[in-house]
Amino acid sequence: MAMQYGDYARDRTGWFFGMSGPALALVLVAALPGLAAMNGARWLVFAVWLPAWALLVAMATVPVRGRSATGWVIALVLHWLGGVMGWTRWQSRAAAGIAGDLGEADLPGVLAGIQIHDGPPTGVAMTRVGLVQNHSARTWAVVAQIVHPGIGLAEPADRNRMGAGLAELQEIASRTELIDLLAIQVRTAGDDGAERAAWADTHRRAGGPALARQVNDLLGQMLTPASVRTEAFVTIVVGEDRIARAARAAGGGLDGRARVLGGAMAEVESRLRAAMGCTEVTWLDSPALAVAIRTGFAPGERAALIAARVGAAANPGVATGVPLAAAGPTRATCEMRHYNHDGWSSVTDTILLPQRGAVLGALAPVLAPTTPGERRCLTVFFPALGADRADRLSQRAEMSAITGSELRRATGRLARAKARRAQARALGLDEKLAKGRALVRPCAAATVTVPNTWAAGEFGRRLDASIRMSGFTPLRLDLAQDSGFAAAAIPLGVGLPRSRGWR
């Protein structure tokens, strides 16, 4: 029987009845006029102020689709201001005719601070791994493209082994005190038939039977639209604060950082090939990263890139790949509920964990396109927490669970099943940390991309339905679709924002 994973709890609770510090301060300050009126026996003023105070408390504390009313107002004002100032519209330098260095990335939104460097030659083949530097977040990242046989036909024992391998990978990230974030991204789209067409052109004989050729062409026309192509990436993100000292000891500069990242790459690759069962792990260089970025923004470009690569085998003069300056979109617009980039539109959801837990592979329906021409992406982020921080969080959760249990016992209230389960998880977390386990804060984002002539809202609803079918809860990233798309579809180590608002 496949193992069900449900040993997780709420990431962070508020200081008082679930309220954060700013929300609690707002509620207390807003209550002062009512308390002053009650102290002065001005009951009419108190009766008038009490409904206004209750409305203000509801606006500051009650979440609506993941945000409080105050958070929605702030987000709407900022989005409107961005539209007025032109910040929600973007055009590339290449489209404007002012492109300079073709090796410099030109990307919109949260990806604007990305710079890709060529690392020093490594290995027997003397390959140069691309180093992704994010100046805005002060991080460094390396990206690997992996090939995995999948778990659809795997036995329960094999699935449990792969799940244990994923847990070991996260423990390595936590113990190294170097890796900030591990991201696993999977893209699925209808097969464009580029590889099959290239293989058929190469191996087809001129004097072959006409009937065999006709049958082969008919099979290709019928089966290619029903086929699904999958590609997967693993991204390692390291903060500048963590890597700086080790890089100085390794020689400093770009080469020193590349050497430090090389050690992390070796540890991660060993786990990917061993327990997790990956058959191929290829660390991407700058040209390969440019192709990954381009196909992330424009899924239809892949067929042309494959055809150019096949043509270059026969004619070296054929240009292959895409320069970094042209890897991004030419134009992009961030709407309230979707993101437009070139001739495509994308809708992004975050995924909330279910209370009853889930089995490995439960998100498979999210990656199933509903029609040819649709592309689905799913990225799961595993931020690494150090042992000291995990211990502090465990102590806080254990103390909160014990305090809540004692308060319920003192007031004569019965503990409900949800409270008992939360207390058992909090008490069991300390035991697992004592055994050397790692504490992570997983989060996931899924996006659907379709041509911009299609109804993006309809495919967004289909994505929501697929997430619910998997047993999870979707949460649309309204007013932040550009940042959500960058996190879910572009494997450059840009994750979901860590900061919290009024929630």
Side-chain angles (χ1 to χ4, degrees):
M1 184 177 180
M3 183 180 297
Q4 187 173 17
Y5 299 91
D7 193 6
Y8 46 79
R10 188 173 179 177
D11 179 17
R12 185 173 59 184
T13 57
W15 294 356
F16 185 75
F17 284 98
M19 289 186 292
S20 62
L24 179 60
L26 178 63
V27 169
L28 294 178
V29 171
L32 292 179
L35 294 176
M38 186 172 60
N39 187 44
R42 291 175 293 176
W43 302 113
L44 181 61
V45 176
F46 177 76
V48 172
W49 179 250
L50 186 60
W53 178 75
L55 178 62
L56 184 63
V57 170
M59 292 180 59
T61 59
V62 178
V64 179
R65 294 185 64 84
R67 303 180 190 176
S68 63
T70 307
W72 278 112
V73 171
I74 295 174
L76 285 170
V77 170
L78 292 178
H79 188 272
W80 172 82
L81 179 62
V84 171
M85 301 297 293
W87 297 337
T88 58
R89 299 182 298 273
W90 182 86
Q91 182 181 18
S92 67
R93 292 192 292 266
I98 56 174
D101 185 8
L102 295 181
E104 182 179 353
D106 183 20
L107 302 174
V110 295
L111 300 174
I114 294 293
Q115 184 179 4
I116 299 178
H117 307 274
D118 290 321
T122 57
V124 179
M126 302 298 287
T127 57
R128 294 178 176 268
V129 177
L131 306 181
V132 182
Q133 182 182 9
N134 191 338
H135 293 278
S136 301
R138 301 185 71 249
T139 59
W140 294 81
V142 287
V143 184
Q145 186 168 8
I146 62 175
V147 176
H148 193 276
I151 62 173
L153 299 177
E155 296 294 333
D158 295 332
R159 292 194 180 194
N160 295 338
R161 174 178 54 82
M162 294 177 187
L166 181 60
E168 292 178 3
L169 187 63
Q170 298 167 24
E171 291 170 6
I172 288 175
S174 178
R175 286 197 297 264
T176 56
E177 298 289 341
L178 179 66
I179 299 176
D180 277 340
L181 177 70
L182 278 173
I184 300 177
Q185 181 177 118
V186 181
R187 301 176 183 171
T188 57
D191 194 358
D192 49 29
E195 286 90 346
R196 184 184 184 280
W199 187 91
D201 292 340
T202 303
H203 295 82
R204 176 172 288 174
R205 293 182 295 178
L211 180 60
R213 176 175 298 184
Q214 182 180 359
V215 171
N216 188 48
D217 293 341
L218 182 60
L219 287 174
Q221 294 175 7
M222 297 297 294
L223 296 179
T224 298
S227 303
V228 175
R229 171 181 46 83
T230 302
E231 53 185 357
F233 303 91
V234 174
T235 305
I236 304 174
V237 181
V238 178
E240 174 64 25
D241 297 335
R242 294 191 177 189
I243 199 176
R245 179 177 300 178
R248 285 194 296 269
L254 184 65
D255 291 350
R257 285 165 175 78
R259 294 187 185 98
V260 176
L261 287 172
M265 291 159 53
E267 291 191 44
V268 171
E269 182 175 352
S270 65
R271 293 304 186 276
L272 290 174
R273 291 184 179 272
M276 292 188 65
C278 295
T279 57
E280 294 183 19
V281 179
T282 305
W283 297 99
L284 302 184
D285 55 8
S286 295
L289 282 172
V291 171
I293 296 170
R294 186 57 190 162
T295 54
F297 280 103
E301 296 287 336
R302 182 180 178 276
L305 293 172
I306 295 296
R309 189 175 63 188
V310 173
N315 182 9
V318 176
T320 61
V322 59
L324 281 172
T330 56
R331 289 178 176 83
T333 305
C334 181
E335 304 294 341
M336 292 184 65
R337 304 211 73 189
H338 67 274
Y339 179 53
N340 296 321
H341 43 97
D342 286 342
W344 304 84
S345 297
S346 297
V347 178
T348 305
D349 289 348
T350 52
I351 300 176
L352 306 182
L353 293 171
Q355 290 291 337
R356 63 178 181 271
V359 299
L360 192 66
L363 288 171
V366 180
L367 293 170
T370 59
T371 185
E374 177 187 359
R375 199 269 307 273
R376 296 281 185 97
C377 296
L378 172 65
T379 304
V380 183
F381 303 94
F382 299 100
L385 297 178
D388 295 337
R389 188 177 181 186
D391 187 63
R392 290 195 300 270
L393 292 176
S394 174
Q395 291 179 3
R396 187 184 306 169
E398 189 174 1
M399 183 60 65
S400 299
I402 295 174
T403 303
S405 176
E406 294 298 330
L407 286 176
R408 284 189 294 269
R409 184 180 295 108
T411 56
R413 295 171 53 193
L414 294 177
R416 305 297 299 271
K418 185 177 179 180
R420 292 195 302 269
R421 186 164 55 246
Q423 182 179 4
R425 288 174 178 174
L427 297 177
L429 176 61
D430 185 54
E431 296 182 3
K432 294 183 178 181
L433 290 177
K435 294 178 180 179
R437 298 298 185 183
L439 182 64
V440 295
R441 285 173 168 167
C443 52
T447 185
V448 57
T449 302
V450 295
N452 60 3
T453 56
W454 297 7
E458 170 60 25
F459 286 91
R461 286 188 289 270
R462 295 185 185 183
L463 178 63
D464 295 344
S466 299
I467 295 174
R468 292 190 184 96
M469 188 185 304
S470 304
F472 295 77
T473 303
L475 181 61
R476 184 73 59 87
L477 285 175
D478 293 329
L479 305 177
Q481 287 290 315
D482 54 344
S483 302
F485 173 82
I490 309 300
L492 294 181
V494 175
L496 296 173
R498 301 181 183 179
S499 60
R500 302 290 183 88
W502 288 87
R503 174 67 185 273

